[in-house]
Each structure stands twice: as structure tokens, then as C-alpha cells.
Amino acid sequence: MEKSPIYRWKLSHEPVVDFLMSKIWNPGGPALDVFADYAGVVGWLRHIGTLSAEDARSQKALAGKRPGEARAAWKKAVRLRNAGYAVFSACADRRPPSGRDVEFLNREVAAAMSHLRIAQSSGKYTWTWHTSGAALAWILWPVMRAMAELLTSDRLHRVKQCAECRWMFMDRSRNASRRWCSMTVCGNRVKARRYHERHRGS
Ligand SMILES: [Zn+2]
């Protein structure tokens, strides 16, 4: 199967932002969503690095054996992505997000975090996910945790949306002044348009 063109787009390397960009949100753009089914979600999580290659393989195999559970986990992924997008997009635009979306995220984050455990191995302690009882849905938990952490972090103001194409990105510039996804794509397009507007009729 041909991979979605979204796979060719540049990742922000911020897992939350990359998770939210599994769909093209620009109303003028093509309707593309890599979350077409559970396997689509697994493929994207592998691509953005929140799932190991080994886990991606075993999750896809397991989904084949449990279609009902896979469908439920897929729907959860879509809802989480859509609510997450609505909230982070509102933050990027400096407008208040919908209370319903925040409430939904809160509920899902609380449920996910209840599976977090302390693991001990040769005197070292690490966070680990207790995945029993949620064989397919657990792949979303690390994303939910990351979402809550980014939302409450001092990096939130660096989550931006391109003023031209609405692509979401992480602004890593020193004074967080980036406005476009890419200077060579949208930045130049906007500048060219402004230039023409200024020189029209002169
Ligand atoms: Zn753009």
C-alpha cells in the first residue's frame, strides 16, 4: 500500500506535535488522515518514534486477532488526536480552548496515568507502563502523558501554527519568533504576495 504523502513531511521531533500532525487540517488542503485504522495509528507512532519497531510489529499482529478491540483503540486515537489538536491549536492562536476538549483530555490522561508504575532493575528505578488489560490501547498512553507534560510546560508558547498553511510546528528559534512552517515554502509565498500587493497599480 502506498504510504500517505504526510509521511514525507518534515517532523518537528516533538512527539505531541507530530502526533497531532497525522492529519492535514488546512481546510484548503487535501483531506489526508493517516489514522485510517489501527494499523495506521501504529505506523504513525512508529514513524514519530513513540513506538519501537518491535512493538509496532507485534501490535499490528495482535490487532489482526482482535478486530473489535483494534477498532475501539483506533477510535480512541482519533478522538484524542482531534481533541489534542483543538486544544494546542487554541493555545497557538492564544484563544481559550473548549472546556469539553480539555475535560476529555483530562479524563484520558487520568486513565492513562493510572497504568504508570515504578520498575526496578539492578538498583535503578524507571517509569514503566503496566499494559495488561489494554493490549491494544496502551500505545496511546505515552502520547497522553507527553501531551499533559507539554501543555503544562514552559515550552507551550513554542507550539506554533504556520500563519499560511496551519501546519503545526515547534518553534526552536532563540526568541520564539517563527511564524511559518518553513521560510522557503510558506514564508516566501507570503512575502511574494505582499510584494505584489504593494506594487499593484504602481
Ligand atoms: Zn506553512
Side-chain angles (χ1 to χ4, degrees):
M1 200 175 73
E2 179 78 19
K3 269 193 175 176
S4 164
I6 297 185
Y7 273 90
R8 292 199 295 268
W9 293 32
K10 216 171 140 207
L11 291 176
S12 74
H13 300 293
E14 167 54 60
V16 175
V17 171
D18 290 334
F19 176 75
L20 301 178
M21 288 300 98
S22 50
K23 177 181 172 178
I24 290 182
W25 300 90
N26 183 352
L32 288 175
D33 185 347
V34 293
F35 287 5
D37 51 19
Y38 183 80
V41 177
V42 168
W44 188 252
L45 294 185
R46 173 68 204 122
H47 179 62
I48 67 173
T50 69
L51 202 61
S52 71
E54 195 189 336
D55 282 341
R57 258 194 310 275
S58 60
Q59 290 305 114
K60 277 186 189 171
L62 194 60
K65 291 181 207 143
R66 304 183 183 194
E69 223 182 291
R71 195 177 157 74
W74 161 59
K75 287 194 154 181
K76 176 68 65 77
V78 172
R79 278 192 73 190
L80 179 72
R81 196 262 326 265
N82 293 358
Y85 175 80
V87 169
F88 280 93
S89 176
C91 292
D93 287 346
R94 306 194 179 217
R95 54 187 164 81
S98 116
R100 264 185 64 199
D101 288 329
V102 176
E103 203 181 298
F104 173 75
L105 287 188
N106 236 338
R107 225 174 24 240
E108 294 303 324
V109 165
M113 297 297 257
S114 73
H115 300 280
L116 210 47
R117 300 285 183 276
I118 299 161
Q120 189 202 348
S121 168
S122 47
K124 279 186 78 181
Y125 297 90
T126 49
W127 285 115
T128 182
W129 295 103
H130 182 67
T131 57
S132 79
L136 292 175
W138 71 266
I139 60 169
L140 297 168
W141 298 344
V143 179
M144 289 185 208
R145 180 185 177 184
M147 242 187 227
E149 282 171 353
L150 180 59
L151 205 52
T152 54
S153 77
D154 59 4
R155 295 179 301 136
L156 182 60
H157 72 288
R158 292 190 177 271
V159 178
K160 300 248 183 102
Q161 254 186 311
C162 176
E164 179 75 0
C165 73
R166 305 300 288 155
W167 189 255
M168 202 175 267
F169 62 91
M170 205 64 189
D171 183 356
R172 293 189 175 86
S173 67
R174 205 150 52 111
N175 47 7
S177 58
R178 244 179 92 187
R179 295 181 55 200
W180 297 295
C181 61
S182 142
M183 198 56 223
T184 52
V185 182
C186 288
N188 281 342
R189 198 184 313 163
V190 172
K191 287 194 168 169
R193 201 167 56 222
R194 282 193 195 140
Y195 179 85
H196 287 300
E197 276 162 13
R198 256 198 315 273
H199 293 79
R200 199 162 37 200
S202 63

